[in-house]
């Protein structure tokens, strides 16, 4: 157990080092000069050269890379060029909307997908199963921005149940902020529920055909106990995997939804950084997102040990 955890931690460090290297190389390989973008079209070559020197962009790439790695080892993600503040503090300021949007979205997606997926597997081939599979395929095919605009038109513009956009004022209560997050969370939850439902159904179908399920039924156990206790417990590993990966995707992929609903989250911050060629902000955000991916995968592996004792062997 300890040996496994240690090997996973070492693997996480290697992965983060590779991600940092790839991010650094790709950003430097893209065309365009961030100093020229910052100063605008009216800037003189002397002004651009002076700013490049101040930002360290005139140094050799090897020197920039070494300085970049040294900052990361100290836990410093750098200083944003445009915001004139540290990348870490800028991400913390924008983390709350993205965190709660991801949390509520995955809760809504799980609440929709798990019961439907379990019952579809139990009633395999029925009208309910075929209808649920068709709706899941449709939900997986619908672009999130289109669904967001449709839900906004219905529930925000026509009926006025939810706000059209924003995250509340500076002194808004948690309830008010939650009210602003519900519509974008429902949007992402509906789109994300399709994949979770299909994996739940497939995993439950594999388990429901096993011998131990037939044995449990032959012993006279009630059907609900057979399905929810014996079958679901043994089908949890693929379900946990897809829920964890969906959570990671929501953290990094809510850019469009945040933009549509005007949420001041990490997604909007990334879009602004890319448009402005803010190297430190882009690098720091990508590294944080990659770190969250790695941590979520590690947490899923640890959950395997809790839900299925066979994994330990």
């Amino acid at each position: 157990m300890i040996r496994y955890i240690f090997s996973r931690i070492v693997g996480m460090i290697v992965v983060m080092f590779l991600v940092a290297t790839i991010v650094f190389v790709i950003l430097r390989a893209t065309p365009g000069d961030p100093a020229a973008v910052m100063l605008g079209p009216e800037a003189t070559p002397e002004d651009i050269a002076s700013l490049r020197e101040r930002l360290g962009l005139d140094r050799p790439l090897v020197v920039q890379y070494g300085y970049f790695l040294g900052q990361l080892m100290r836990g410093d993600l750098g200083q944003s060029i445009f915001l004139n503040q540290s990348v870490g503090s800028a991400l913390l300021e924008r983390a709350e909307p993205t965190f709660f949007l991801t949390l509520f979205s995955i809760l809504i997606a799980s609440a929709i997908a798990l019961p439907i997926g379990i019952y579809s597997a139990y009633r395999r081939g029925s009208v309910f199963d075929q209808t649920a599979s068709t709706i899941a395929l449709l939900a997986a095919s619908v672009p999130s921005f289109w669904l967001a605009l449709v839900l906004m038109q219905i529930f925000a513009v026509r009926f006025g149940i939810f706000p059209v956009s924003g995250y509340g004022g500076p002194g808004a209560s948690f309830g008010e902020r939650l009210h602003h997050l519900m519509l974008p969370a429902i949007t992402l939850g509906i789109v994300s529920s399709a994949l979770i439902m299909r994996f739940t159904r497939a995993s439950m179908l594999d388990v429901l055909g096993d011998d131990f399920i037939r044995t449990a039924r032959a012993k006279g156990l009630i059907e609900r106990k057979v399905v929810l206790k014996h079958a679901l417990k043994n089908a949890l590993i693929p379900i946990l995997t897809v829920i964890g990966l969906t959570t990671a995707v929501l953290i990094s992929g809510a850019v469009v939804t945040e933009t549509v609903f005007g949420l001041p989250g990490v997604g909007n911050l990334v879009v602004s950084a890319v448009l402005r060629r803010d190297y430190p902000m882009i690098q720091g955000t990508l590294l944080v997102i990659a770190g969250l991916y790695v941590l979520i995968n590690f947490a899923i592996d640890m959950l395997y040990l809790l839900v299925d004792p066979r994994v330990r062997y």
Side-chain angles (χ1 to χ4, degrees):
M1 177 71 173
I2 297 178
R3 189 176 183 180
Y4 171 74
I5 294 176
F6 178 76
S7 65
R8 286 303 310 272
I9 293 175
V10 172
M12 290 163 60
I13 295 174
V14 173
V15 168
M16 291 306 300
F17 171 76
L18 292 176
V19 170
T21 303
I22 293 171
V23 168
F24 178 87
V25 172
I26 289 178
L27 287 179
R28 266 57 181 188
T30 53
D33 189 346
V37 174
M38 287 182 63
L39 295 175
E42 304 298 327
T44 63
E46 291 78 12
D47 294 334
I48 295 175
S50 175
L51 183 59
R52 284 179 56 83
E53 181 180 1
R54 183 164 61 87
L55 298 176
L57 299 176
D58 60 334
R59 303 172 186 171
L61 285 179
V62 176
V63 177
Q64 293 184 44
Y65 179 64
Y67 182 73
F68 172 61
L69 290 182
Q71 280 186 312
L72 291 182
M73 292 179 182
R74 297 192 303 269
D76 182 8
L77 295 176
Q79 191 81 5
S80 172
I81 298 174
F82 273 86
L83 299 180
N84 197 25
Q85 67 178 133
S86 67
V87 173
S89 62
L91 289 174
L92 284 176
E93 289 178 1
R94 303 292 189 99
E96 181 183 305
T98 301
F99 171 77
F100 284 112
L101 176 61
T102 303
L103 177 62
F104 296 143
S105 299
I106 201 64
L107 289 177
I108 292 172
S110 301
I112 295 172
L114 293 180
I116 296 177
I118 293 170
Y119 192 69
S120 293
Y122 179 68
R123 298 294 303 274
R124 179 180 184 179
S126 65
V127 176
F128 178 88
D129 180 29
Q130 295 176 2
T131 303
S133 299
T134 303
I135 293 175
L137 183 63
L138 179 63
S141 306
V142 171
S144 60
F145 71 88
W146 181 84
L147 181 60
L149 293 174
V150 171
L151 294 179
M152 185 187 298
Q153 178 67 28
I154 296 173
F155 294 103
V157 177
R158 180 172 300 179
F159 296 109
I161 300 174
F162 299 107
V164 176
S165 63
Y167 191 55
S173 64
F174 179 75
E176 184 179 348
R177 297 194 187 282
L178 176 61
H179 191 215
H180 281 79
L181 285 175
M182 285 309 299
L183 200 55
I186 291 171
T187 302
L188 289 177
I190 291 174
V191 174
S192 303
S193 65
L195 182 63
I196 299 175
M197 193 278 281
R198 296 178 68 181
F199 266 81
T200 302
R201 178 183 179 275
S203 183
M204 287 293 294
L205 283 176
D206 289 339
V207 175
L208 286 172
D210 288 345
D211 293 336
F212 74 92
I213 295 296
R214 286 191 290 269
T215 302
R217 286 171 172 159
K219 288 182 177 180
L221 294 177
I222 60 175
E223 199 67 14
R224 183 179 59 188
K225 190 173 183 180
V226 171
V227 174
L228 297 181
K229 182 177 180 181
H230 295 278
L232 180 59
K233 185 176 181 181
N234 286 273
L236 271 180
I237 286 185
I239 297 173
L240 287 176
T241 302
V242 72
I243 290 177
L245 293 177
T246 302
T247 304
V249 169
L250 286 174
I251 292 175
S252 60
V255 177
V256 175
T257 304
E258 287 186 2
T259 303
V260 171
F261 286 98
L263 293 175
V266 176
N268 269 325
L269 188 64
V270 173
V271 172
S272 300
V274 170
L275 293 176
R276 297 167 176 172
R277 299 297 300 276
D278 193 341
Y279 281 166
M281 182 60 68
I282 299 172
Q283 290 173 166
T285 305
L286 293 179
L287 286 173
V288 169
I289 291 174
L292 290 174
Y293 262 92
V294 171
L295 290 176
I296 289 173
N297 284 322
F298 180 72
I300 293 172
D301 287 346
M302 293 299 102
L303 284 176
Y304 291 165
L305 301 176
L306 297 177
V307 301
D308 194 344
R310 294 173 297 180
V311 176
R312 300 172 190 169
Y313 305 103

